Amino acid sequence: MNPLPPAYGWIDDLQPLPRMVSEARKLYGTAEVQGSGDNPAILGWAKELGLAKIYNHDDIPWCGLFVAIVAKRAGKALPAQPLWARSWVNFGKDGSARPQLGDVLVFRRGETSGHVGIYIGEDYGAFHVLGGNQSDGVTITRIAKDRCIAVRRPVYKAAPATAKPVELAATGALSNNEA
């Protein structure tokens, strides 16, 4: 596994992690290939999900693909059209009252576009999001809370004790465009 930035090293010490976080953590550091090449791992996710005919090049936005492979591997049901970020507003159940570790966050990007990722924590003005297609890779990025349009909680038989809100320091720049 690729090492996390020091500010997020606590994730590797937290047990048991919510399954969504655990599966996403395994993919941290995966990056698309610049230029005309493709990362076979990213294309493999599309194949595993049965979406290889739709998703066939890693320069196509892949935040939804990332969350879909994480959800599938965590044993969670996917929304219809999981490649489209805003489809994730139909995932799981509402968690907007108080976001917590492992929730799926959906963000607006312009009028019709969006971004989707996994809640790692928050500071006063931003969510810290573990997601794909953030600076062309699987990273943790700060995204302004006012861009969030939905907080969706995976359905648990029994939620792990670590599935709770996480307060973090406001370090690092805010993302304006996750592509």
Side-chain angles (χ1 to χ4, degrees):
M1 262 191 310
N2 289 307
L4 293 168
Y8 301 105
W10 57 268
I11 294 170
D12 289 338
D13 298 330
L14 200 59
Q15 295 300 323
L17 284 170
R19 288 281 313 272
M20 294 281 287
V21 177
S22 178
E23 293 299 329
R25 170 64 185 100
K26 293 173 187 174
L27 303 174
Y28 182 84
T30 303
E32 66 184 63
V33 173
Q34 299 302 313
S36 62
D38 292 302
N39 184 327
I42 295 170
L43 295 183
W45 302 341
K47 185 175 181 181
E48 184 178 332
L49 291 162
L51 299 170
K53 289 184 180 179
I54 300 168
Y55 190 90
N56 55 16
H57 193 47
D58 73 10
D59 70 348
I60 298 169
W62 51 277
C63 62
L65 177 67
F66 170 77
V67 175
I69 198 64
V70 165
K72 177 187 180 286
R73 291 176 178 176
K76 306 300 180 188
L78 305 182
Q81 300 179 346
L83 295 177
W84 189 52
R86 290 192 181 202
S87 289
W88 289 89
V89 301
N90 299 310
F91 174 76
K93 61 183 185 175
D94 182 37
S96 61
R98 189 67 172 114
Q100 64 186 30
L101 186 65
D103 285 354
V104 171
L105 304 177
V106 182
F107 298 91
R108 65 179 158 70
R109 206 173 74 192
E111 293 298 315
T112 58
S113 294
H115 183 67
V116 62
I118 313 279
Y119 174 101
I120 294 301
E122 63 189 282
D123 59 54
Y124 64 89
F127 290 114
H128 296 236
V129 180
L130 174 54
N133 204 36
Q134 297 180 162
S135 300
D136 296 331
V138 177
T139 66
I140 299 175
T141 301
R142 288 180 67 232
I143 302 175
K145 287 181 176 181
D146 65 4
R147 289 183 48 208
C148 188
I149 60 172
V151 177
R152 304 301 300 177
R153 182 150 305 138
V155 176
Y156 295 109
K157 289 180 184 170
T162 56
K164 60 184 179 183
V166 178
E167 295 292 330
L168 297 170
T171 56
L174 278 177
S175 174
N176 293 313
N177 184 0
E178 292 68 48

